[in-house]
Amino acid sequence: MIPNIRITAARLVALLVLAALLCAGVQAAVAAEQTLIMSMGSLKYENATDPTISSEIVQGTGWTYPHYYTHYAPLIEQDTNGKIIPWLAESYEVSDDHKTITFRLRKGIEFADGTSFNASVAKFNFDRILGYGYRDKTRLTLCAPVTYYDSSEVLDEYTLRVQFTQGWLNIARDLTTLAYYYGFISPRDVEPAWSIKGVLKPEKMNNGLGPYFVDENETIPKEKVVLIKRHSWRDDLDFHKPNMDKIVLTLIADPQTAIIALKKGEINFINRYNSPTMDSLLELEKNPDISIKSRTSSNTYFISTAHWKVPFNGSDGILLRKAINYALDREEIAEGAFFGYATPATDTMFLSPLLPDVPECCHKGYEYNIDKAKQILSDAGWKDADGDDILDKNGESLKDFNLVISSASGLNWMPDTAVMVQSQLKKVGIDVKIQTLEPNLFSEAQKNGNFNLKLDYTRPNPMTFQLKLFNSSLIVSGTYNDSRYVNENNTLGNIVHQAGIATREDERNEDVCKACDILYDDAGIIPLVHPMEYAVISSKVKGYEFAPGWGEYEHVEECWIEN
């Protein structure tokens, strides 16, 4: 028996050695393959090196996608569920009047060149970004942190107090929503040093707080940007360590071409700003080499109505808009136009119920009830006078309404949705003509009110910010005849403004409920669906989590690749 035992032992040793070698080989292979190749719809890189100043103020500056990896480091952040979590700041406190937020910073944070990050550096960046670099950026004028920023004060080396001229309940959450606030640079890297209007030295363009730098040797302008992992404060503090040794951002403008590249293994992640069309997902779902991650979104897709002109204005116009609300089968739209990657927006007027601060009063809407839609139209005096199946009233016909949509590639959900809206409204005697416009003409039509109906959408901003966007982009398109919109003390705009600057939840909710009542009673907009967010990636990519916002930056460096 002894010889057999020796033979078995020898074999066991050999197997253990082989296993160890194989394990080492696998580990080496895995380590060598930690490269994420992400397709991008566009690469804004060449002419924007300083993230702290908008290109609208100084040419050659501005935020670019690589800055998410080289510079992005917020004081506070949102996790994938929208919960506020610490990042550069260990903790924060908001004053009772919500005008002041005090941050206590982590110790040991350093820029790539070893320069320490502290409260003085944070103050410099707040003053530079909010006080100068993005103060005049047109599209941020509705953002409270930019609008109301007053000053910052260094209380000690690691404590910063930020003061605003106006307080509001969402002060902390709003400070997590835009990346522009957190492309921090070292004040010693500008000329003259510590000047908020100083010019960033070209050789310091990669000296950020992020864990990557741009490899200029491998980067090819207008083709790809190569990001290489470097040692950073995250490693020393054991803080959200990146797993990817290299991230390659490669330009593939066409989403279908990106799908082909993903299938071939040329890329392993499609950036969600350039996601494939929803109809493509049906085929991709069957591919075991591709993974589709999805979740319900707080966005809302809806129809804007020309509520200021015939036949949508006045009390009869309200009835017409309500009839359209009842006539639309949102479940059919969610399945047909969105292939199941959407949920019906039947319990809300514009505001998504997924937004964390929406009060219960806003969770109401118009269900699908075609008989009720027909009855409302009949009661309002709309009849089929000439037998053409299109309703008429006082010599006017519900015929040839233009439903305006955009041809922009990022709005590829619009054509199918428009066709379904057209088909469903035809059943109640409303004839819709779909008008597809180039992006600039679409924006012009929205600005000038040159439409009867228009497909539109929201972003997952905080509730009161969405209401501001609604008021600014739609109500001002025309003159609303309803006295509730023109009364000096009770305009929708005034109500929304008061909700936005409320410092008590009960006061804010009272104003929000007033706004939601106006939106619901007047049916000036017609909600359709809440689209689902989805990410198309290689099945080998593990650990992916959605960003809480638009998917601009989702910490993909924390993913890893398995073979």
Side-chain angles (χ1 to χ4, degrees), residues 180-420:
Y180 303 104
Y181 306 149
Y182 297 128
F184 290 159
I185 62 174
S186 171
R188 297 178 179 83
D189 290 349
V190 299
E191 187 65 44
W194 290 91
S195 169
I196 65 168
K197 297 184 180 181
V199 178
L200 181 66
K201 300 173 184 177
E203 67 270 19
K204 291 292 186 177
M205 61 178 290
N206 280 317
N207 190 31
L209 295 173
Y212 291 81
F213 70 92
V214 176
D215 188 327
E216 300 292 346
N217 294 324
E218 287 195 53
T219 294
I220 302 176
K222 299 182 180 180
E223 289 188 23
K224 68 177 181 179
V225 176
V226 179
L227 299 149
I228 305 296
K229 185 174 71 172
R230 61 188 171 201
H231 178 77
S232 73
W233 61 272
R234 294 192 189 187
D235 300 310
D236 295 333
L237 300 184
D238 195 22
F239 184 87
H240 286 266
K241 290 186 177 181
N243 293 308
M244 292 296 168
D245 298 305
K246 180 187 293 187
I247 297 176
V248 180
L249 310 176
T250 183
L251 177 62
I252 303 180
D254 177 33
Q256 298 305 311
T257 303
I259 290 177
I260 295 173
L262 183 64
K263 289 179 177 179
K264 290 182 177 180
E266 296 171 350
I267 64 173
N268 44 30
F269 199 110
I270 298 178
N271 180 267
R272 289 206 291 129
Y273 260 162
N274 199 40
S275 288
T277 56
M278 291 183 182
D279 57 332
S280 304
L281 302 183
L282 299 180
E283 177 189 354
L284 296 177
E285 288 172 345
K286 304 173 185 178
N287 191 327
D289 297 327
I290 294 176
S291 177
I292 301 174
K293 307 292 185 180
S294 64
R295 71 170 181 182
T296 305
S297 167
S298 60
N299 294 16
T300 303
Y301 291 169
F302 61 95
I303 299 175
S304 301
T305 66
H307 45 61
W308 57 88
K309 62 184 180 182
V310 176
F312 292 109
N313 62 338
S315 57
D316 284 351
I318 292 176
L319 292 176
L320 174 58
R321 301 196 301 262
K322 288 185 176 183
I324 292 176
N325 263 293
Y326 284 117
L328 293 174
D329 186 344
R330 294 164 177 84
E331 289 190 7
E332 184 179 69
I333 293 173
E335 290 296 325
F338 294 88
F339 304 92
Y341 284 89
T343 56
T346 55
D347 62 345
T348 175
M349 293 304 298
F350 181 73
L351 292 171
S352 167
L354 293 178
L355 292 172
D357 48 0
V358 176
E360 187 64 30
C361 61
C362 292
H363 294 178
K364 56 185 178 182
Y366 295 91
E367 76 278 7
Y368 174 55
N369 191 328
I370 194 169
D371 292 333
K372 193 168 185 176
K374 290 179 178 179
Q375 187 62 54
I376 291 174
L377 290 168
S378 177
D379 292 344
W382 293 98
K383 311 291 182 183
D384 180 11
D386 51 12
D388 63 352
D389 294 327
I390 307 300
L391 299 180
D392 309 275
K393 178 182 177 181
N394 299 330
E396 184 173 351
S397 175
L398 297 181
K399 191 174 186 177
D400 293 338
F401 278 15
N402 70 325
L403 172 59
V404 174
I405 66 174
S406 172
S407 63
S409 59
L411 302 176
N412 45 43
W413 57 272
M414 284 190 173
D416 287 347
T417 304
V419 170
M420 297 203 72

Side-chain angles (χ1 to χ4, degrees), residues 457-474:
Y457 58 98
T458 71
R459 295 289 193 181
N461 299 297
M463 170 187 60
T464 52
F465 185 66
Q466 287 202 10
L467 283 171
K468 285 183 181 181
L469 290 176
F470 169 77
N471 184 58
S472 66
S473 63
L474 300 181

